[in-house]
Amino acid sequence: GFTTDLGFEEIHNFFEKPLDFQKIRQHLSSLVGIYSGDDPFVDIKYAAILEQELGAKTVVVPNMKHFDGEESCVILPQALDAVINML
């Protein structure tokens, strides 16, 4: 996850309204952010922001680049583990 448009015009309209972290938190019992340690687009600093603002647990997966299904990430067992642990 991330909290800004990351400098990409293509997703600028996604953040037309500021994120209301308090409102988001009211609707989630738990949240897990899964990050690649070497994502060229989404900086790992967003993990700390979501931990602080939403109480998210962070999982960092090394050497997976960007989770787009093209470069290196086509299977992400950490996502399945996170869902199972939430149940």
Side-chain angles (χ1 to χ4, degrees), residues 15-39:
F15 293 97
E16 288 178 346
K17 294 181 182 179
L19 294 172
D20 185 340
F21 292 112
Q22 185 177 24
K23 188 173 184 178
I24 294 168
R25 202 170 192 170
Q26 289 174 356
H27 296 279
L28 299 171
S29 59
S30 62
L31 184 68
V32 176
I34 303 174
Y35 294 84
S36 171
D38 63 349
D39 190 319

Side-chain angles (χ1 to χ4, degrees), residues 20-83:
D20 185 340
F21 292 112
Q22 185 177 24
K23 188 173 184 178
I24 294 168
R25 202 170 192 170
Q26 289 174 356
H27 296 279
L28 299 171
S29 59
S30 62
L31 184 68
V32 176
I34 303 174
Y35 294 84
S36 171
D38 63 349
D39 190 319
F41 304 110
V42 181
D43 193 288
I44 196 74
K45 72 180 181 183
Y46 293 102
I49 294 169
L50 295 179
E51 279 183 8
Q52 179 180 346
E53 298 290 348
L54 298 175
K57 176 185 174 198
T58 298
V59 175
V60 178
V61 184
N63 306 316
M64 293 295 282
K65 299 201 184 294
H66 189 65
F67 296 155
D68 61 7
E70 292 179 17
E71 284 193 54
S72 65
C73 183
V74 292
I75 297 174
L76 191 60
Q78 293 84 355
L80 177 60
D81 292 344
V83 171

